[in-house]
Amino acid sequence: AMNPTITSQAVGSWTLQNLGKRWWILYADYAWGKQNMAGFTKVAQKRGGTILGTTPYPLGSSDFSAHLPKIQDAKPDVLIAVTPGVDQENSLKQITSFGMKKQMKIVVPLLFLFNRKSAGAEPYAGVYGGTSFYWEMMDMVPTSKRYVEAFTKRFGLPPADYSGYGYSGIMEIARGVELAKSTDSEAVAKALRASPVYDHYKGKQWWRTCDNKACQDVYILTARDPGQVKGEWGVFEIIEKLPASEEMDRT
């Protein structure tokens, strides 16, 4: 899976180039939130961005109204909302009700299919974020098409990003067993290191040598406006693919 370093470097760099350089970061005050905040801050400093301020909040909060006026007063180009899960749904509902989308761009590290389905189109409309996988990649990547069609036939809905992680993980273990002609864990690991490139569901990925981390593309999405949603599940639009690079992660 991607980590907060990869996410923040990819999404942050794209945001600086396309949406604005003056940021405010709202983040959940725990490990994932802090790591993303640090990553976005680092990429802003490296690439000429400015952090106007940061706002930590307790994970699991349902009310963000005390924090939003201060952000509005600062007039950032972009609000980076590092708000996971249901926090993301609640924060985007309140950001929308405060009229902040008319004042600044809203960016989240990751956009999740089922959070968007849960909250509805309006809170997410126009919000940008990253993803490791979105099912409409089937129109771009042959292995995505095969995977999405098989998953949808079996489960009656398209796969989300974490479904892809699970599928790819199992397929890669199976590939290692076939290469090693063994289920011994050390033999499987050695075989995968010797043949590090694979493509199970989203195009070419590979294991980097120094730490066996998976290098993979990151996609930038935006949530479609209510009138632009395609059917039940076509809720996001793919904006850009950011090619996999070892430089996205820590050394």
Side-chain angles (χ1 to χ4, degrees):
M2 299 191 300
N3 60 33
T5 300
I6 296 171
T7 304
S8 58
Q9 298 308 295
V11 176
S13 296
W14 183 88
T15 298
L16 285 168
Q17 293 171 4
N18 294 278
L19 300 182
K21 295 183 179 295
R22 299 167 65 255
W23 296 355
W24 194 286
I25 304 175
L26 171 70
Y27 68 96
D29 194 11
Y30 81 119
W32 183 80
K34 291 177 179 178
Q35 289 172 17
N36 267 291
M37 188 275 290
F40 278 107
T41 299
K42 181 177 179 180
V43 76
Q45 293 170 342
K46 182 179 179 181
R47 298 180 181 273
T50 301
I51 306 298
L52 299 180
T54 63
T55 301
Y57 76 90
L59 179 66
S61 295
S62 60
D63 186 1
F64 294 84
S65 60
H67 306 304
L68 301 185
K70 184 177 181 180
I71 298 171
Q72 288 178 300
D73 289 344
K75 296 181 172 58
D77 300 323
V78 180
L79 169 58
I80 309 287
V82 187
T83 52
V86 176
D87 290 11
Q88 187 179 89
E89 298 178 32
N90 291 330
S91 63
L92 291 179
K93 288 176 182 177
Q94 291 165 50
I95 286 167
T96 301
S97 69
F98 272 64
M100 295 174 71
K101 290 179 184 177
K102 300 175 183 177
Q103 302 166 329
M104 63 198 73
K105 301 296 185 182
I106 310 299
V107 172
V108 297
L110 295 167
L111 279 167
F112 295 109
L113 182 62
F114 291 103
N115 287 120
R116 157 58 187 83
K117 283 286 289 180
S118 172
E122 192 64 35
Y124 276 82
V127 174
Y128 297 90
T131 191
S132 60
F133 177 79
Y134 174 56
W135 69 271
E136 289 187 17
M137 286 165 53
M138 68 182 292
D139 298 328
M140 306 162 62
V141 182
T143 50
S144 295
K145 179 177 173 63
R146 183 182 65 190
Y147 169 57
V148 171
E149 288 178 346
F151 189 102
T152 304
K153 182 178 179 180
R154 173 128 184 212
F155 297 106
L157 73 167
D161 46 0
Y162 274 76
S163 306
Y165 286 146
Y167 173 78
S168 185
I170 293 297
M171 292 293 286
E172 187 62 355
I173 291 172
R175 187 176 76 93
V177 169
E178 290 175 347
L179 289 170
K181 297 180 172 57
S182 170
T183 57
D184 175 75
S185 60
E186 290 298 329
V188 169
K190 183 178 180 181
L192 291 177
R193 291 189 191 103
S195 178
V197 179
Y198 58 99
D199 177 5
H200 298 307
Y201 81 115
K202 58 173 289 185
K204 175 185 172 182
Q205 299 183 89
W206 70 92
W207 302 108
R208 71 177 187 176
T209 304
C210 65
D211 59 0
N212 304 319
K213 281 291 297 298
C215 293
Q216 58 186 291
D217 300 331
V218 180
Y219 284 79
I220 302 296
L221 305 177
T222 188
R224 290 180 171 128
D225 291 338
Q228 302 299 316
V229 174
K230 297 182 179 180
E232 183 178 1
W233 295 99
V235 298
F236 298 134
E237 180 180 348
I238 298 171
I239 300 296
E240 190 168 340
K241 180 180 86 169
L242 306 179
S245 167
E246 291 195 29
E247 285 68 41
M248 278 190 190
D249 205 352
R250 291 167 290 190
T251 61

